[in-house]
Amino acid sequence: MFGNSKDKLQAKYNKLMQESYDLSTVNRKKSDQKRAEAEEIGRQLDELDKQA
């Protein structure tokens, strides 16, 4: 049950981190926003790991 949603969250986390990295030299504010979104998903992944 958790595998599929965890995989989707992990993919979203990876995508947001890549976008944050790509933006880091162009627009620091947007980069920070993407990083914050990724960190929130990271917390959700941690919660899923605790439940499993």
Side-chain angles (χ1 to χ4, degrees):
M1 180 177 134
F2 291 120
N4 193 23
S5 62
K6 186 176 177 182
D7 291 342
K8 286 181 182 179
L9 282 175
Q10 186 66 50
K12 190 171 182 180
Y13 173 83
N14 292 341
K15 180 181 178 219
L16 286 168
M17 288 300 286
Q18 183 62 49
E19 288 176 7
S20 173
Y21 176 77
D22 292 343
L23 286 167
S24 66
T25 58
V26 180
N27 187 329
R28 186 61 191 204
K29 186 175 180 177
K30 285 186 181 180
S31 173
D32 290 346
Q33 289 172 340
K34 294 290 182 181
R35 176 92 182 185
E37 289 177 45
E39 288 175 1
E40 178 57 36
I41 290 173
R43 285 190 280 277
Q44 292 174 15
L45 286 167
D46 288 343
E47 286 298 315
L48 285 175
D49 285 341
K50 289 178 185 177
Q51 293 175 2

